[in-house]
Amino acid sequence: MTIQTLGITEPSFRDSVDIMFRRAVQRMAISRGLAEKIRICNSTYVVRFGVRLRGDIVTFTGYRSVHSEHAEPVKGGIRYAMNVDQDEVEALAALMTYKCALVEVPFGGSKGGLKINPREWNAEEMERITRRFAYELIKRDLINPSQNVPAPDMGTGEREMAWIADQYHRMATTDINARACVTGKPLNAGGIRGRVEATGRGIQYVAREFFRHEEDVALAGLSGSLAGKSVVVQGLGNVGYHAAKFLSEEDHCRVTAIAEYNGGIVNDDGIDVQAAKDWMGAHGTLEGFAGAAFVKEAASLLEKPCDILIPAALEGVVNAGNAERVSCKLLIEAANGPVTASADDVLRKRGIIVIPDLFANAGGVTVSYFEWVKNLSHIRFGRMQRREEEARGRMLIDELERTIGKPLGAEFKARFINGSDELALVRSGLDDTMRGAYGQMRKVWHERRTSDPEVDLRMAGYIIAIQRVADSYSALGL
Ligand code: GLU
């Protein structure tokens, strides 16, 4: 299947993922048969169901694809959007397989989607539609704590996850692990602290880790630290907003442009991300926001010169039509599939470093894994250790102060004594995961790139992920 971008033919999203997969597999010692088994999507369930709404029956089409069951449960979000189709859901499910394998989250890959414009329906209607969709998936074990665990994606959030969890509970009243049937739930419905911010937080940790490696920073044509770097963000949804907010407020980056579907804003001195988000929330557009100049043609902002470009919305936004004009040094794929396979070739030849989706946006599923473990263990992280840690810290400080004969600084003491709560532990686990995976990817990248210049971070990520899936198939005797 192919799609047209400004008259240029290029692969569909699923074909793009396949091309990236094949480029990696060609360089690996695994049989063609096994590679094919890993590449193909195991199954896609398509459901059409009717819901009585506004005095009539409205029919919806939904999907749940299972790409690979080498590890179970399989995992991946449910997307609500009008452009959802089988090709997209299968591409996203494949990415989930590689993503989980790369960051060592013990899940197979899955993804779901419902063809709907969430803006068209009120909360009560959305609840009825979501419960009905969930019912269809639950009765086929396509939502199940030990088999298939959805999560939020574009167009869905905590609210939808709470409805799904409750629907599962109604249908599996004696399942003690019912809450683990879905992640991304609100805290009071079995969620975990730090899940909402997780993907954006992950992007921040990725950027920080990249800048810890001088050699990699130099390859991107950059130097120094994150502080002061100019950042262009596409999409001010959950992922783009958190990434932009953390990078500007905590790492002192300058967010010079934000692009949204209905217009963008530019300010070379840096945009106040929180203020822009508040404006967008109140007005539904960035137009009229006082802290920056409004640009109607937001797509052009992807071409604005900057140090770091973060596409955090749709797939295929960097494509054959604009790849030659994109003028960042480093591109971090916060969205799934924002760069098409043909654009990827162009960016690589132009020396732009791409931190690929299967790694960059894995923060969401990583914290989903922590939530699932929390649900199965029926206790929040840190509950047993926090005060014990605190008591040990206090003991050490007391002894130190006694020995040196003077008190230590109050701020230091407070920070040192403080035992880790759930949020601190989640962030620590996420940071460790992202740093560990980046280290593995850059090792493969640098080992191979001198003799094979086509090897980039994306290919390194695919090589590691595919090898892990292949190893688990071999362990199963396949
Ligand atoms: N939808 C997110 C993703 O694409 C999160 C998936 C999950 O947490 O299972 O990675």
Side-chain angles (χ1 to χ4, degrees):
M1 200 169 153
T2 55
I3 50 171
Q4 294 277 319
T5 309
L6 301 175
I8 304 163
T9 304
E10 61 179 337
S12 71
F13 184 14
R14 195 181 52 187
D15 289 344
S16 268
V17 174
D18 280 353
I19 291 169
M20 291 164 180
F21 175 91
R22 287 203 175 94
R23 287 180 63 235
V25 156
Q26 278 164 11
R27 292 162 166 87
M28 298 174 68
I30 60 173
S31 76
R32 282 176 65 162
L34 180 55
E36 189 57 9
K37 170 71 202 80
I38 295 171
R39 187 192 66 79
I40 48 122
C41 181
N42 287 4
S43 64
T44 298
Y45 174 66
V46 186
V47 59
R48 296 181 188 87
F49 58 90
V51 184
R52 183 167 285 281
L53 295 159
R54 302 178 190 176
D56 202 357
I57 303 260
V58 185
T59 302
F60 295 92
T61 305
Y63 303 84
R64 186 78 182 160
S65 285
V66 175
H67 174 260
S68 177
E69 291 148 292
H70 68 282
E72 279 182 317
V74 294
K75 192 88 188 74
I78 293 183
R79 173 174 292 202
Y80 282 4
M82 279 313 281
N83 61 341
V84 160
D85 60 23
Q86 187 165 341
D87 187 275
E88 182 192 52
V89 176
E90 291 188 357
L92 291 164
L95 277 176
M96 287 309 303
T97 297
Y98 309 135
K99 200 183 292 190
C100 292
L102 179 60
V103 296
E104 296 178 278
V105 160
F107 297 141
S110 182
K111 200 81 176 197
L114 185 65
K115 204 174 172 63
I116 187 173
N117 177 1
R119 289 193 189 93
E120 254 179 46
W121 306 100
N122 65 35
E124 195 196 316
E125 291 163 337
M126 286 304 291
E127 176 170 356
R128 286 170 54 203
I129 299 163
T130 300
R131 283 185 183 275
R132 184 63 213 283
F133 184 31
Y135 168 82
E136 295 293 335
L137 298 181
I138 294 163
K139 71 177 184 192
R140 288 170 182 84
D141 286 334
L142 288 165
I143 297 177
N144 183 299
S146 54
Q147 277 172 267
N148 196 325
V149 181
D153 200 83
M154 204 180 285
T156 57
E158 288 188 322
R159 183 182 74 160
E160 287 72 19
M161 301 307 117
W163 292 330
I164 294 173
D166 186 62
Q167 186 65 32
Y168 180 84
H169 187 56
R170 285 185 190 185
M171 295 167 70
T173 47
T174 56
D175 185 347
I176 195 169
N177 293 320
R179 282 185 152 179
C181 75
V182 66
T183 58
K185 303 177 292 291
L187 253 190
N188 62 10
I192 194 166
R193 283 170 186 80
R195 176 62 185 87
V196 176
E197 65 166 46
T199 313
R201 184 64 78 184
I203 298 295
Q204 176 193 35
Y205 291 162
V206 164
R208 284 183 179 174
E209 181 58 15
F210 181 83
F211 277 87
R212 285 191 190 102
H213 299 278
E214 239 174 83
E215 188 187 355
D216 304 359
V217 174
L219 279 171
L222 291 163
S223 60
S225 69
L226 254 181
K229 294 288 178 290
S230 56
V231 177
V232 171
V233 180
Q234 191 218 18
L236 202 55
N238 184 39
V239 180
Y241 157 64
H242 281 108
K245 179 179 164 74
F246 298 147
L247 284 171
S248 58
E249 289 178 5
E250 298 172 13
D251 298 287
H252 313 292
C253 291
R254 263 179 314 124
V255 175
T256 54
I258 298 174
E260 257 294 338
Y261 71 101
N262 56 355
I265 46 174
V266 177
N267 180 348
D268 286 332
D269 295 328
I271 295 165
D272 178 338
V273 175
Q274 188 58 55
K277 177 75 177 170
D278 292 344
W279 182 271
M280 184 81 196
H283 302 89
T285 169
L286 290 167
E287 191 164 10
F289 175 63
F294 182 70
V295 179
K296 187 116 204 75
E297 278 305 311
S300 66
L301 296 177
L302 289 165
E303 298 165 25
K304 182 177 161 58
C306 63
D307 296 317
I308 307 172
L309 175 62
I310 305 182
L314 286 172
E315 54 262 17
V317 292
V318 177
N319 47 51
N322 63 1
E324 287 291 355
R325 295 193 305 275
V326 163
S327 29
C328 61
K329 305 250 173 19
L330 175 68
L331 188 152
I332 306 180
E333 293 187 324
N336 287 309
V339 176
T340 63
S342 44
D344 203 39
D345 290 338
V346 175
L347 298 185
R348 189 172 43 258
K349 283 182 192 123
R350 292 183 55 214
I352 295 172
I353 302 288
V354 176
I355 303 192
D357 48 8
L358 72 157
F359 164 64
N361 68 38
V365 75
T366 300
V367 177
S368 276
Y369 169 45
F370 302 154
E371 180 176 333
W372 181 76
V373 170
K374 174 187 179 180
N375 293 152
L376 294 181
S377 59
H378 299 263
I379 187 166
R380 74 163 185 273
F381 291 105
R383 182 160 176 186
M384 304 296 279
Q385 312 91 315
R386 185 170 181 199
R387 300 300 166 190
E388 161 68 9
E389 259 178 46
E390 192 179 286
R392 281 178 185 274
R394 194 173 298 281
M395 206 164 82
L396 186 69
I397 296 275
D398 287 350
E399 186 61 14
L400 215 66
E401 285 182 336
R402 205 186 51 77
T403 314
I404 61 174
K406 60 175 188 174
L408 294 167
E411 202 195 310
F412 166 78
K413 275 205 291 195
R415 285 184 56 194
F416 184 79
I417 288 171
N418 199 11
S420 306
D421 61 9
E422 185 171 79
L423 184 59
L425 291 168
V426 162
R427 287 180 178 162
S428 153
L430 175 60
D431 197 10
D432 186 55
T433 302
M434 301 316 279
R435 284 203 214 183
Y438 186 76
Q440 293 163 7
M441 278 166 58
R442 73 181 295 277
K443 187 163 177 283
V444 172
W445 180 35
H446 292 304
E447 271 168 10
R448 297 191 177 221
R449 73 180 174 83
T450 26
S451 59
D452 184 356
E454 284 227 347
V455 178
D456 54 11
L457 276 167
R458 188 190 311 277
M459 201 191 291
Y462 270 85
I463 288 174
I464 295 167
I466 295 165
Q467 191 59 56
R468 289 199 178 133
V469 179
D471 289 347
S472 63
Y473 274 124
S474 309
L476 292 174
L478 247 148

